[in-house]
């Protein structure tokens, strides 16, 4: 009997642990949100974090975006020539970048580059009692340390995604028009005719905002909630990247269904 | 310096404090008084929750029952704003120093001023340099925390703890892992700051000799209870076997060398019995 | 402090991001066309069947895009589809007897409205209506008509050959 019920007990226990963690994460997020006015009062704190979260990710985003765009150009060309539709290469490259790859790949790269760094930094600050020390100096570490990092991530993600998409389109253009000889005018006019501002660009920006919030939220929460030992911090860093990737892909499906589902 | 007539009463008074973590009792209804203007040492073996006690006084942890009154107010009945207002009047020196790693020594000491005051830069500068001078590290102002030795980091943290001129400072294991020279420096500093600035100091430590040399009053905590108290001399003269063992550092006594276990011989033979 | 340099870098980063968004909007998407499209004038055409024509489809004359479809709706009293088009302001000399048909770009491409000018001296203005319209070619109908004709044709020729045999 006991051995029959054991798996259910384990399942129930882990479900409760996850629920408790989700609850903590939500309360934590509310706490972070209360730090927003403080950031408006001290934009320098935000600037310092945007440097480490945003500026330091730009090179990675530029290079990745360029290569993703070039690969899209190559692959798209070979598929589209079969239908004699290589003029549509511009649409294909731009639509896949602006709608999907820009926000999603940027969010995944962002989780690996900035998210893991945030988790490790906050986890180390916790392990070395810096957060505790701040509390004892009557400074709320969630408002002073976490909130600027969260909002820096939130603001940086759409900017990075836009850079990624634009560089990707340029990469696709370079391969399609420059190397494979697609007509330049067709590439541009078809792209401009089919890529809709409201439906594609704005939705892409909304996606990247949501992903920015998710990735940064997971990163700062995992750091703040980590076990304050070196092992705990390294586990939290791994979790941060893995959970962020899952959450981004899952939410991408939900958002895509909501945005492009009805037509 | 601006002491009220209530000087004779304790600055911190703890009554019936119980605290447990993960089902383990850490404090069992302890009573403790920390007198104003004095250095009070809280000593006990590792793992007795001395740091926990400081966190309870600072309001970072909530007790299961009992009260902690600091300067007449119950710490755990305060709202967050009042608690933060109270904390501005308490300094705490963490074991690791807890310096902010991305700020220079100067900026670390200036941190509480920048967070809590709107002083002009020139005044912040003189205050920071004064406090750094007091701990003898005015010349190290441009170093980053990673470039400091453990003892220096603690001294910088001390300068930071006193920069808002608090009424009390809590020291968490200030002597652990220090070489004899920096230990001597820290002992001297704690003593001088307490008497020079009219602070109240609470030193949590298991370094018996250093602590006893500057403490005005000593509490010994073990197993969640206060097992001894008095001036360092009184405690040293105590005839309790546990206190003797702790103060003299004997390897065996009431606290056994062996972790509780079943009989040695039967344990060794236990495998064969299987 | 190097906080100045950090601020400069952050400023550059934000500028780069915003510039990328701006370029995506203006050079990659159709936002720039919208701007000019807003100024033109509106004309209406009624079709029996618009196929899969959608709002923002192109309106072209002689192969040149001169406007966009702004809405497609259904008139429940006449059972016709009403297509509202916005024509670029600079093309203000469309004859009033212009005819409209719904065409398909390529075999599987998107549908658009093709206008053919008439000979009238009057021009279409704001709210003008196109009287001559030709519905969309619905592929299924075309195929079924073709198959029907073919079946009929085959039946006739078979009948003939039978007759020939009989002779």
């Amino acid at each position: 009997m006991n051995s029959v019920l054991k798996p259910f007990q384990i399942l129930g226990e882990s479900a409760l642990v996850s629920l408790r963690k989700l609850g903590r994460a939500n309360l934590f997020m509310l706490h972070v949100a209360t730090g927003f006015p403080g950031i408006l009062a001290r934009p320098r704190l935000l600037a310092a974090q945007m440097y480490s979260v945003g500026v330091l990710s730009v090179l990675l985003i530029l290079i990745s975006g360029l290569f993703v765009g070039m690969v899209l150009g190559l692959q798209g060309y070979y598929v589209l020539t079969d239908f004699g539709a290589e003029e549509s290469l511009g649409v294909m490259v731009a639509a896949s970048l602006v709608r999907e790859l820009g926000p999603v790949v940027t969010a995944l790269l962002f989780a690996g580059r900035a998210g893991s760094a945030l988790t490790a930094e906050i986890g180390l600050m916790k392990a070395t009692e810096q957060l505790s020390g701040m509390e004892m100096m009557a400074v709320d570490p969630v408002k002073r340390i976490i909130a600027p990092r969260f909002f820096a991530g939130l603001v940086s993600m759409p900017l990075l995604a836009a850079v990624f998409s634009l560089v990707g389109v340029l990469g696709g253009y370079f391969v399609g028009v420059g190397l494979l000889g697609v007509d330049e005018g067709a590439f541009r006019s078809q792209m401009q005719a089919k890529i809709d501002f409201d439906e594609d660009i704005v939705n892409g920006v909304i996606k990247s905002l949501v992903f920015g919030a998710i990735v940064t939220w997971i990163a700062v929460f995992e750091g703040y909630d980590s076990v304050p030992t070196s092992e705990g911090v390294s586990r939290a860093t791994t979790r941060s990247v893995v959970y962020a990737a899952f959450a981004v892909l899952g939410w991408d499906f939900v958002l895509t269904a909501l945005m492009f589902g009805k037509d | 310096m601006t002491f009220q007539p209530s000087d004779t009463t304790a600055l911190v008074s703890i009554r019936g404090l119980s605290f447990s973590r993960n089902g383990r009792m850490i404090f069992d209804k302890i009573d403790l008084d920390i007198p104003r203007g004095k250095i009070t040492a809280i000593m006990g073996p590792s793992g007795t929750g001395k740091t926990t006690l400081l966190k309870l006084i600072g309001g970072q942890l909530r007790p299961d029952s009992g009260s902690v009154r600091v300067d007449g107010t119950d710490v755990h009945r305060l709202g967050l704003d009042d608690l933060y207002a109270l904390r501005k009047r308490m300094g705490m020196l963490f074991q690791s120093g807890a310096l902010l790693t991305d700020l220079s020594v100067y900026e670390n000491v200036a941190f509480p001023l920048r967070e809590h005051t709107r002083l002009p830069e020139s005044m912040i500068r003189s205050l920071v340099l004064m406090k750094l001078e007091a701990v003898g590290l005015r010349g190290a102002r441009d170093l980053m925390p990673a470039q400091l030795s453990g003892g220096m980091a603690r001294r910088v943290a001390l300068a930071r703890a006193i920069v808002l001129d608090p009424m009390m400072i809590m020291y968490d294991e200030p002597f652990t892992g220090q070489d004899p020279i920096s230990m001597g420096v820290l002992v001297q500093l704690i003593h001088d700051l307490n008497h020079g600035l009219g602070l109240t100091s609470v030193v949590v430590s298991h370094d018996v000799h250093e602590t006893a040399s500057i403490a005005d009053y000593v509490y010994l905590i073990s197993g969640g209870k206060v097992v001894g108290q008095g001036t360092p001399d009184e405690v040293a003269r105590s005839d309790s076997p546990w206190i003797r063992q702790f103060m003299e550092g004997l390897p065996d006594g009431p606290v056994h060398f062996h972790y509780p276990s079943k009989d040695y011989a039967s344990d060794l033979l236990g495998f064969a019995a299987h | 402090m190097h906080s100045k340099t950090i601020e400069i870098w952050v400023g550059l980063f934000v500028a780069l991001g915003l510039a990328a968004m701006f370029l995506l909007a203006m050079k990659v998407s159709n936002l720039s066309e919208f701007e000019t499209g807003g100024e033109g004038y509106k004309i209406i055409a009624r079709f029996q069947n618009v196929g899969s024509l959608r709002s923002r489809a192109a309106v072209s004359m002689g192969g040149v895009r001169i406007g966009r479809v702004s809405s497609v709706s259904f008139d429940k009293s006449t059972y016709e589809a009403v297509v509202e088009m916005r024509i670029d302001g600079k093309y203000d000399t469309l004859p009033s007897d212009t005819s409209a048909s719904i065409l398909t770009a390529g075999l599987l491409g998107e549908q658009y409205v093709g206008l053919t000018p008439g000979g009238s001296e009057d021009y279409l203005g704001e709210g003008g209506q196109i009287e001559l319209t030709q519905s969309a070619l619905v592929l299924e109908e075309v195929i079924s008509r073709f198959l029907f004709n073919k079946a009929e044709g085959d039946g006739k020729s078979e009948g003939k050959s039978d007759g020939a045999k009989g002779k």
Side-chain angles (χ1 to χ4, degrees):
Chain A
M1 187 61 189
N2 234 348
S3 63
V4 175
L5 291 178
K6 185 82 180 162
F8 293 101
Q9 190 233 322
I10 292 170
L11 188 69
E13 193 188 333
S14 59
L16 283 178
V17 167
S18 321
L19 270 180
R20 225 170 273 143
K21 185 165 181 178
L22 196 65
R24 279 205 306 279
N26 279 303
L27 288 177
F28 174 75
M29 201 57 235
L30 284 179
H31 194 169
V32 172
T34 61
F36 184 59
I39 290 170
L40 291 183
R42 296 172 71 182
R44 267 159 192 258
L45 289 182
L46 188 67
Q49 291 313 316
M50 280 191 67
Y51 180 79
S52 58
V53 169
V55 175
L56 296 181
S57 309
V58 168
L59 194 63
L60 173 75
I61 293 297
L62 281 175
I63 294 170
S64 320
L66 188 68
F67 278 102
V68 168
M70 282 164 41
V71 169
L72 276 177
L74 274 178
Q75 294 279 19
Y77 180 81
Y78 293 127
V79 174
L80 290 172
T81 39
D82 285 352
F83 301 101
E86 58 270 31
E87 284 81 17
S88 303
L89 187 65
V91 190
M92 206 211 85
V93 170
S96 13
L97 279 167
V98 172
R99 287 183 184 177
E100 281 300 326
L101 294 175
V104 172
V105 177
T106 307
L108 296 178
L109 291 171
F110 188 71
R113 167 71 185 73
S116 62
L118 279 179
T119 309
E121 187 193 10
I122 293 169
L124 275 176
M125 289 182 89
K126 185 178 183 184
T128 53
E129 296 178 307
Q130 292 182 51
L131 299 183
S132 226
M134 227 175 245
E135 269 180 33
M136 283 308 297
M137 285 188 280
V139 176
D140 185 346
V142 173
K143 287 184 183 165
R144 178 62 174 70
I145 296 293
I146 312 285
R149 284 165 172 75
F150 175 77
F151 288 104
L154 191 69
V155 175
S156 299
M157 241 310 279
L159 299 175
L160 290 172
V163 170
F164 185 96
S165 296
L166 185 72
V167 173
V169 171
L170 290 177
Y173 181 86
F174 170 71
V175 168
V177 175
L179 299 181
L180 300 171
V182 174
D183 179 57
E184 186 201 331
F187 186 98
R188 285 174 57 166
S189 66
Q190 288 248 13
M191 179 170 79
Q192 288 193 4
K194 293 279 176 57
I195 302 294
D196 186 58
F197 178 72
D198 288 336
E199 209 149 275
D200 296 318
I201 309 275
V202 172
N203 278 349
V205 172
I206 292 174
K207 267 190 184 182
S208 55
L209 259 176
V210 174
F211 295 163
I214 291 172
V215 170
T216 332
W217 177 15
I218 291 175
V220 292
F221 177 70
E222 284 294 347
Y224 190 77
D225 201 49
S226 62
V227 180
T229 59
S230 45
E231 196 204 1
V233 173
S234 85
R235 275 163 185 265
T237 309
T238 311
R239 269 204 309 273
S240 159
V241 177
V242 173
Y243 289 176
F246 277 139
V248 163
L249 296 172
W251 272 97
D252 183 43
F253 175 74
V254 174
L255 289 175
T256 308
L258 286 177
M259 288 169 173
F260 302 103
K262 52 175 188 328
D263 193 38
Chain B
M1 281 168 255
T2 52
F3 282 148
Q4 273 85 46
S6 62
D7 260 6
T8 47
T9 64
L11 180 64
V12 179
S13 72
I14 295 173
R15 289 290 171 270
L17 181 83
S18 295
F19 182 79
S20 59
R21 184 156 42 200
N22 300 332
R24 197 167 77 88
M25 197 61 140
I26 294 181
F27 296 119
D28 185 9
K29 296 206 182 74
I30 60 167
D31 296 326
L32 228 147
D33 281 308
I34 289 162
R36 279 175 204 268
K38 298 272 177 5
I39 299 178
T40 305
I42 296 169
M43 293 199 272
S46 309
T48 43
K50 300 187 298 294
T51 307
T52 309
L53 185 65
L54 294 186
K55 290 195 168 180
L56 282 163
I57 295 174
Q60 285 187 299
L61 294 173
R62 292 197 147 269
D64 299 338
S65 65
S67 70
V68 177
R69 301 179 81 82
V70 176
D71 202 21
T73 49
D74 188 335
V75 174
H76 301 99
R77 294 247 171 99
L78 292 176
L80 202 60
D81 291 341
D82 293 330
L83 180 61
Y84 274 17
L86 179 65
R87 281 184 189 162
K88 284 180 205 168
R89 298 162 63 207
M90 300 186 203
M92 176 143 170
L93 188 72
F94 284 85
Q95 200 171 341
S96 58
L99 294 178
L100 299 168
T101 36
D102 55 346
L103 297 180
S104 68
V105 165
Y106 178 91
E107 285 299 322
N108 259 292
V109 179
F111 182 81
L113 293 171
R114 294 198 197 284
E115 291 294 319
H116 295 307
T117 67
R118 300 224 166 276
L119 294 177
E121 189 58 40
S122 62
M123 196 178 281
I124 289 182
R125 191 182 134 85
S126 20
L127 276 171
V128 170
L129 292 186
M130 271 162 60
K131 304 298 175 186
L132 278 176
E133 176 70 21
V135 298
L137 290 175
R138 192 163 45 85
R141 71 184 100 156
D142 293 325
L143 297 182
M144 294 306 280
Q147 296 168 289
L148 302 175
S149 70
M152 282 161 82
R154 270 176 223 190
R155 280 152 71 188
V156 173
L158 187 52
R160 187 177 65 175
I162 58 174
V163 78
L164 287 176
D165 288 321
M167 58 183 176
M168 69 180 281
I169 300 195
M170 297 183 277
Y171 298 90
D172 185 8
E173 303 282 6
F175 310 120
T176 308
Q178 297 299 308
D179 62 65
I181 298 173
S182 47
M183 208 183 283
V185 169
L186 283 165
V187 168
Q188 190 66 41
L189 266 176
I190 293 172
H191 180 266
D192 290 354
L193 286 176
N194 192 75
H195 294 97
L197 301 176
L199 294 166
T200 301
S201 305
V202 184
V203 181
V204 148
S205 179
H206 50 229
D207 293 286
V208 174
H209 297 293
E210 290 72 20
T211 314
S213 69
I214 48 167
D216 296 308
Y217 203 78
V218 175
Y219 282 94
L220 284 169
I221 296 182
S222 178
K225 301 231 181 248
V226 176
V227 293
Q229 55 176 292
T231 61
D233 287 342
E234 285 167 10
V235 173
R237 275 186 272 108
S238 164
D239 46 9
S240 149
W242 187 91
I243 296 177
R244 296 215 69 79
Q245 189 194 354
F246 182 76
M247 297 299 280
E248 288 164 25
L250 305 174
D252 213 343
V255 177
H256 294 293
F257 170 69
H258 290 290
Y259 192 81
S261 60
K262 49 184 169 171
D263 182 59
Y264 187 39
S266 69
D267 211 4
L268 282 177
L269 296 170
F271 185 71
H274 261 289
Chain C
M1 283 293 287
H2 9 263
S3 80
K4 274 260 152 49
T5 13
I6 286 178
E7 278 156 25
I8 291 169
W9 275 111
V10 171
L12 287 175
F13 165 59
V14 173
L16 175 73
L18 291 179
M21 279 186 188
F22 179 78
L23 285 174
L24 282 177
M26 301 312 286
K27 294 288 172 192
V28 176
S29 87
N30 55 3
L31 186 67
S32 50
E33 297 176 10
F34 263 132
E35 296 300 317
T36 55
E39 296 157 7
Y41 59 99
K42 185 181 83 175
I43 58 173
I44 291 171
R46 291 166 173 273
F47 294 89
Q48 293 208 312
N49 189 338
V50 290
S52 60
L53 188 75
R54 297 211 186 292
S55 57
R56 283 201 286 275
V59 176
S60 63
M61 184 175 258
V64 178
R65 198 182 61 72
I66 59 166
R68 285 198 174 272
V69 172
S70 50
S71 77
V72 179
S73 57
F74 182 68
D75 184 339
K76 65 181 178 183
S77 57
T78 60
Y79 306 108
E80 284 174 323
V82 181
V83 174
E84 225 180 78
M85 292 164 272
R86 191 154 277 284
I87 305 296
D88 211 330
K90 61 188 171 199
Y91 306 112
D92 54 355
T93 56
L94 301 183
S96 57
D97 59 347
T98 294
S99 64
S101 44
I102 293 177
L103 304 170
T104 307
L107 188 59
L108 301 168
E110 207 158 85
Q111 290 189 302
Y112 65 98
V113 180
L115 300 183
T116 316
S120 171
E121 304 268 301
D122 298 331
Y123 300 131
L124 285 169
E126 170 70 27
Q129 182 154 351
I130 293 177
E131 303 296 342
L132 291 167
T133 62
Q134 193 188 347
S135 286
L137 219 57
V138 178
L139 207 57
E140 291 90 328
E141 284 178 10
V142 176
I143 291 171
S144 67
R145 204 176 300 156
F146 170 76
L147 289 176
F148 183 70
N149 287 344
K150 186 151 169 61
E152 248 183 3
D154 284 355
K156 266 180 204 160
S157 62
E158 261 172 41
K160 264 179 195 165
S161 60
D162 280 358
K165 258 183 193 170
K167 251 183 192 175

